[in-house]
Amino acid sequence: MAAASPPLLPVSVLPAATATTATIALPAPDTSSVADQRAYLARLLDSAKRSLSGARPWAELLDRAALSRPDSLADATARVRRNLAYFRVNYALLVALSLAASLLAHPFALAALLALLAAWCALYLLRPADAAPLAAFGKTFSERETLGGLVAASAFVVFVTSVGSIVFSALAAGAALACAHGAFRVPEEQLFLDDDVQPGAGGRAGSSVDLLSFFTNAAGGGGGRG
């Protein structure tokens, strides 16, 4: 006798789930802040280019024929004043070169200043005006508090650590080198006068120097009144 077949269990077939596409709306990037930062950097670069365009040729600065010992302290002071006005961009670059060389010789000071500069740019200088307040350590800081923190951090790095002494020493060395060059370098107008002076024309040379001094004093007086 054949065995009875087991009873069939009811089976229900579920319909396949239809695939659904979820759309996630991403916020559009704030192009206005990026444009403001680019405009700020462009203005900064343009200002630097305009400032560097006033530099005198370095061959003129290093001309050994124009170097001579000053006759007195007053003569050295007058030379420094005139040469600072004439080579001001070159002297500024000389001081900057002295600072760069000193920072490269002290990597810790260079890293500290770069970190400080990055903090200023990210938190204040290049920060959009409509940006949300800075939040850190579970607290929200206003713009004034952020500025105060940056100033305090800058003062700590410059005056408490060795970074300040390194920077000030480099600036002083560059300024001393510029002043020494200015004291021993004959000013341009005096070089032109020496070239124009002929033997036996001492009277005319004296009158030319007096006339130049008159115009120089008049220009200086006019600038002081203005």
Side-chain angles (χ1 to χ4, degrees):
M1 180 177 177
S5 61
L8 298 176
L9 298 176
V11 177
S12 59
V13 179
L14 297 177
T18 58
T20 59
T21 304
T23 303
I24 302 176
L26 297 176
D30 190 3
T31 56
S32 60
S33 61
V34 177
D36 293 341
Q37 294 176 4
R38 289 180 178 177
Y40 178 80
L41 293 177
R43 289 195 302 268
L44 190 63
L45 291 177
D46 184 64
S47 176
K49 289 180 181 179
R50 287 200 307 268
S51 300
L52 294 177
S53 63
R56 304 292 179 178
W58 290 99
E60 182 179 358
L61 180 74
L62 302 176
D63 186 11
R64 297 181 59 182
L67 298 178
S68 67
R69 184 177 178 180
D71 297 333
S72 61
L73 181 60
D75 185 26
T77 305
R79 288 186 181 186
V80 170
R81 188 183 304 112
R82 293 179 182 179
N83 286 323
L84 282 178
Y86 189 76
F87 293 109
R88 57 183 179 274
V89 179
N90 300 78
Y91 287 157
L93 292 176
L94 187 63
V95 174
L97 182 62
S98 173
L99 178 61
S102 179
L103 290 177
L104 289 177
H106 299 83
F108 171 76
L110 179 61
L113 288 180
L114 288 179
L116 197 60
L117 178 61
W120 272 96
C121 292
L123 301 179
Y124 191 78
L125 294 177
L126 300 181
R127 187 177 177 83
D130 55 349
L134 179 65
F137 306 106
K139 182 181 178 181
T140 302
F141 297 91
S142 63
E143 184 178 357
R144 181 175 299 180
E145 292 174 342
T146 303
L147 178 60
L150 289 173
V151 171
S154 303
F156 177 82
V157 170
V158 173
F159 296 106
V160 177
T161 65
S162 61
V163 176
S165 61
I166 294 173
V167 171
F168 293 145
S169 300
L171 294 179
L177 185 59
C179 290
H181 178 273
F184 283 89
R185 212 267 184 193
V186 180
E188 289 298 314
E189 60 270 17
Q190 190 171 343
L191 284 176
F192 295 149
L193 288 175
D194 293 341
D195 292 341
D196 294 338
V197 171
Q198 300 295 333
R204 249 177 30 188
S207 62
S208 300
V209 174
D210 293 339
L211 182 62
L212 179 63
S213 301
F214 171 78
F215 283 116
T216 304
N217 293 334
R225 289 192 300 270

